[in-house]
Amino acid sequence: MENKGVTSDDKEKHRWGGQGWNPAVDQRRRRRRRTCLHPDTNSGYDVTPSMGCGARQAAGIGEANSILGKPKLKSHIAFIKANFGKLPAYITKLETRDISLNSAVQVMKKVETLLKEIPRSGGETMRNKYLKIVKRNPGWKQVLLVT
């Protein structure tokens, strides 16, 4: 007795619910798909009606569109980029393994200088947060004396 195993036709039938490939069914499935924004990444992804774009996601998309339509958004983003654009590089430098104490202190001094140069209330808010963090760390003054 010869054992044929599973053929590619059997795989196709299983894949399409035992009926084989049907172009009309495939086309209906494609039409039912729609795109929603992923709540974490804001990138588009396809969802089927069983997954659904719920009212919460639809409301979030509407809110995002209303925010993106505001006329002052470009100027706010330009302000953030111009004044806080260097912070991610400084944070990455502080996160590196085996960084010397002197290098870490130098980076923190650069951050402090950067925050002092930021105009308006946004700069003042960030300076105050920085000072609160430094004050909560009692050893910071001693570290500054050592380096």
Side-chain angles (χ1 to χ4, degrees):
M1 183 169 179
E2 188 177 316
N3 185 3
K4 291 184 179 180
V6 179
T7 64
S8 62
D9 289 339
D10 293 334
K11 288 180 183 177
E12 281 297 312
K13 284 182 183 178
H14 176 72
R15 184 173 166 198
W16 295 100
Q19 300 151 5
W21 181 70
N22 184 342
V25 172
D26 187 38
Q27 196 169 19
R28 280 194 305 260
R29 284 181 180 150
R30 283 191 207 157
R31 269 191 243 131
R32 284 189 303 197
R33 295 180 74 82
R34 57 184 181 259
T35 303
C36 288
L37 289 178
H38 190 276
D40 296 332
T41 61
N42 288 332
S43 62
Y45 69 100
D46 288 334
V47 293
T48 59
S50 62
M51 292 169 66
C53 248
R56 188 169 152 227
Q57 283 183 329
I61 292 169
E63 185 179 341
N65 287 337
S66 68
I67 290 171
L68 291 174
K70 291 188 177 181
K72 292 185 178 182
L73 181 67
K74 281 187 179 181
S75 64
H76 290 305
I77 291 174
F79 176 80
I80 291 168
K81 184 177 180 183
N83 294 299
F84 300 109
K86 295 179 184 177
L87 280 179
Y90 291 145
I91 291 169
T92 304
K93 179 114 177 158
L94 289 170
E95 290 175 340
T96 54
R97 188 177 197 135
D98 299 329
I99 187 171
S100 68
L101 180 64
N102 191 34
S103 297
V105 169
Q106 293 302 320
V107 170
M108 290 298 288
K109 286 181 180 179
K110 288 178 184 177
V111 168
E112 190 173 353
T113 305
L114 176 75
L115 292 175
K116 285 179 182 177
E117 294 172 357
I118 298 174
R120 298 196 260 178
S121 63
E124 187 176 329
T125 304
M126 291 302 289
R127 280 189 296 276
N128 290 339
K129 283 189 176 210
Y130 174 81
L131 291 174
K132 283 181 184 178
I133 292 169
V134 169
K135 285 180 182 177
R136 269 192 266 149
N137 189 347
W140 179 246
K141 288 181 183 178
Q142 294 168 347
V143 169
L144 289 175
L145 292 174
V146 171
T147 58

